[in-house]
Amino acid sequence: MPYVASSKRYTEMEYRLCGRSGLRLPLISLGLWHNFGDNKPFDNCQAMLRHAFDLGITHFDLANNYGPPPGSAESTFGKIMQRDFLPYRDEMVISSKAGFTMWDGPYGDWGSKKYLVASLNQSLKRMGLDYVDIFYHHRPDPNTPLEETMGALDLIVRQGKALYVGISNYPTNLAKEAINILNELGTPCLIHQPRYSMLERTPEEDLLDLLEEEGVGSIAYSPLAGGILTDRYLNGIPADSRAAGNPSLPPERLTSNILSKVKQLNELATKRGQKLNQMALAWLLRHDRITSVLIGASRISQIDDAMGILKNRNFTQEELKAIELILEGE
């Protein structure tokens, strides 16, 4: 049966301007990292994307190497795009990235112009798109001049293959250099995608200040610390959990100190009438410096859980102080 988007899709979601641009992103964006590869049921992938869009989640975040295997998340998304979303393409923000290993040989990794342009060409073919809305350099390259990498992003926009560009995983000093180069080229940096959560607060040191000063948006990835900031690990490590079988969340990250903090945060979330993951997302969005949070999902119920933050995103000063005491505890 042909997909028809819900007529109520914009009634719940809130949207924030991305830096000093005119582009608005939903508070909740959907990332396709782990759960849209060839090893996942296509019907479930399709159902999650449909459901997300029906809820007003208009931003879908990919990268060339998402899968597994690399490239398969974009291929899956492309199939669903062609079947369901072509009538709605202009209502969607689709992003992709390049910067990690994608193919063999000297031209399939890092940040050369050769790699970035070729990778985006491949990504567009997999997704069946003429352009992406945002194209990121996925990580800094210690061997390629930053001028070349940023010049490639500028070229991609001028070729019409991306509307905006961004950076991801850039420390503050390199982010400042990249932003300055892009400004000089006339293609401003739209957005930065750092790892940021209650348990990973490095961006607070000076990155968020820089982005605010420069008018660059920010979208937090891994906002639940790989699933740690959920109720999954309150009573140990379940056999079917990511920590039990996925190297991206090794069990050694779940120290007794971390688990103690998670339990205390869960108690506070319960007092607020929220689940722990909802409070963790709301905490990131407590100020406008974060444009959006990037969630992952393996089932529709996880998307619905995230949407629950829209009912309670405010914190009292007492709650914020309590969270700080928990997070700073040894």
Side-chain angles (χ1 to χ4, degrees):
M1 185 174 179
Y3 167 69
V4 177
S6 170
S7 61
K8 299 179 180 179
R9 57 189 178 277
Y10 298 121
T11 57
E12 287 189 52
M13 182 59 72
E14 295 181 33
Y15 301 85
R16 282 182 177 171
L17 284 171
C18 191
R20 283 198 288 264
S21 77
L23 182 68
R24 295 180 184 272
L25 295 182
L27 293 186
I28 299 164
S29 300
L30 183 63
L32 280 69
W33 180 23
H34 275 309
N35 298 307
F36 290 80
D38 287 348
N39 62 336
K40 301 298 182 181
F42 179 84
D43 288 350
N44 186 54
C45 296
Q46 183 180 41
M48 286 195 293
L49 289 177
R50 287 178 169 185
H51 189 71
F53 189 65
D54 282 344
L55 293 173
I57 296 176
T58 53
H59 179 209
F60 300 94
D61 181 79
L62 298 105
N64 57 355
N65 63 336
Y66 286 0
S72 60
E74 288 182 330
S75 296
T76 297
F77 182 81
K79 292 174 185 175
I80 298 169
M81 187 77 204
Q82 300 306 309
R83 296 183 188 190
D84 293 336
F85 292 125
L86 285 183
Y88 308 103
R89 172 63 182 97
D90 292 337
E91 298 180 44
M92 304 171 76
V93 173
I94 300 166
S95 60
S96 192
K97 316 177 196 73
F100 285 91
T101 303
M102 186 59 192
W103 63 83
D104 293 336
Y107 315 121
D109 200 352
W110 293 107
S112 70
K113 181 180 290 186
K114 167 71 173 175
Y115 171 49
L116 295 183
V117 172
S119 179
L120 180 54
N121 287 339
Q122 293 179 16
S123 293
L124 293 174
K125 186 178 293 185
R126 282 190 289 268
M127 292 188 285
L129 298 175
D130 296 323
Y131 69 94
V132 292
D133 297 278
I134 306 169
F135 185 66
Y136 293 88
H137 186 221
H138 210 162
R139 63 169 173 171
D141 180 351
N143 298 310
T144 299
L146 197 56
E147 290 80 4
E148 177 179 343
T149 302
M150 295 304 108
L153 297 184
D154 173 65
L155 173 66
I156 283 165
V157 170
R158 295 182 188 280
Q159 289 177 331
K161 296 174 182 176
L163 301 184
Y164 304 92
V165 295
I167 53 178
S168 180
N169 295 304
Y170 271 57
T172 304
N173 62 324
L174 289 179
K176 183 173 179 59
E177 287 186 51
I179 291 165
N180 288 340
I181 293 169
L182 286 170
N183 284 338
E184 291 173 3
L185 292 169
T187 300
C189 181
L190 173 80
I191 192 167
H192 188 304
Q193 189 176 122
R195 183 191 297 271
Y196 183 31
S197 72
M198 284 180 158
L199 300 178
E200 173 49 75
R201 301 179 66 179
T202 303
E204 295 177 359
E205 294 173 5
D206 48 20
L207 178 63
L208 295 181
D209 289 337
L210 170 70
L211 301 181
E212 186 172 32
E213 291 168 6
E214 296 290 343
V216 176
S218 179
I219 180 168
Y221 82 86
S222 198
L224 301 178
I228 296 176
L229 292 167
T230 69
D231 59 9
R232 291 281 280 163
Y233 304 106
L234 295 176
N235 299 302
I237 302 175
D240 64 344
S241 69
R242 183 184 296 184
N246 191 313
S248 69
L249 182 54
E252 55 265 27
R253 282 185 59 192
L254 293 168
T255 64
S256 59
N257 178 254
I258 292 295
L259 290 175
S260 173
K261 291 179 180 181
V262 168
K263 289 180 180 179
Q264 293 176 70
L265 290 169
N266 185 65
E267 291 173 3
L268 181 55
T270 300
K271 292 177 182 178
R272 283 171 47 85
Q274 288 182 312
K275 295 183 177 181
L276 173 56
N277 63 322
Q278 293 171 331
M279 185 178 78
L281 296 177
W283 182 83
L284 288 174
L285 291 165
R286 69 193 184 279
H287 48 64
D288 291 343
R289 295 200 296 179
I290 300 301
T291 313
S292 180
V293 291
L294 186 59
I295 67 164
S298 59
R299 53 188 180 274
I300 283 175
S301 61
Q302 293 173 330
I303 299 172
D304 288 335
D305 263 1
M307 287 290 292
I309 70 168
L310 300 176
K311 299 175 182 177
N312 185 10
R313 290 194 292 110
N314 297 317
F315 291 84
T316 66
Q317 287 302 311
E318 290 72 20
E319 288 172 333
L320 290 174
K321 289 177 182 177
I323 290 171
E324 285 298 319
L325 286 174
I326 293 169
L327 295 177
E328 293 173 0
E330 298 296 333

